[in-house]
Amino acid sequence: MRKILISSALLVSVLLLSNCKKEVPSVEPTTTVEADTIIQVDTVAAKKAVEAEKETLSKPYNEQEDAQARLNELIAEAKIQGKNVFVQAGGNWCIWCLRFNDFVQNNQELKNLVDKNYLYYHLNYSTKNKNKAVFDKYAPDSKGLGYPFFFVINGEGVVTNIFASGDLEAGKSYDVEKVRQLFLSNISKK
């Protein structure tokens, strides 16, 4: 019985984590059978819970925006201000993308650190606007990172770092110390 419960919990976790890795249609409930015991994992309820959470979070990604034009502006501004551009790649469809934005914006220490040292940009990836040319230019090796993923561009327009978000996660949120270190380690050396 313990194995069944652990297996079920693991399956739900994998389904929730995979929500941001790709845009996928809803999945039918999964059944696990061991001996005479049947446990049904309600993925429909889990998906509804994620959708309800999304409704409470701000939507920072703009599907209509010309991402390259906006990045050109931010890079020029970063050069003048001696900052880097911190790019969060993802979309309003991605719960982990929305959670990260909410996490940073609602933690005053992290928000101050970002505001002081970065120009922050949410690079949209969605079925309506994949920004393929921008992703190919700045993050051509980002395949397999999942969403969100991040990259840093200096004032010269050079990408100085690309990293995944998975190691920053803690439960259904993010680890404050790991996120703080991420920001501190990518500050412009001016």
Side-chain angles (χ1 to χ4, degrees), residues 61 85-90 94 96-104 114 118 120-123 135 138-139 141-142 145-153 159-169 174 178-179 182-183 186:
Y61 296 91
V85 179
F86 185 87
V87 180
Q88 180 181 326
C94 168
W96 284 100
C97 301
L98 302 181
R99 284 175 179 164
F100 189 84
N101 179 67
D102 188 66
F103 181 77
V104 171
V114 168
Y118 296 94
Y120 201 126
Y121 182 63
H122 293 86
L123 175 59
F135 279 97
Y138 295 105
D141 299 325
S142 64
L145 290 180
Y147 291 98
F149 73 87
F150 314 102
F151 56 97
V152 177
I153 306 173
V159 174
T160 60
N161 207 348
I162 299 176
F163 30 84
S165 62
D167 291 340
L168 306 173
E169 295 171 7
Y174 291 89
K178 288 179 181 179
V179 173
L182 167 91
F183 287 127
N186 288 282

Side-chain angles (χ1 to χ4, degrees), residues 16 22 43 45 56 76-77 79 82 86 93 101 120 122 138 146 153-154 169-170 178 185 188:
L16 287 174
K22 301 178 206 165
T43 57
T56 68
E77 192 176 329
K79 184 173 186 170
F86 185 87
W93 52 268
N101 179 67
Y120 201 126
H122 293 86
Y138 295 105
I153 306 173
N154 68 18
E169 295 171 7
K178 288 179 181 179
S185 65
S188 174

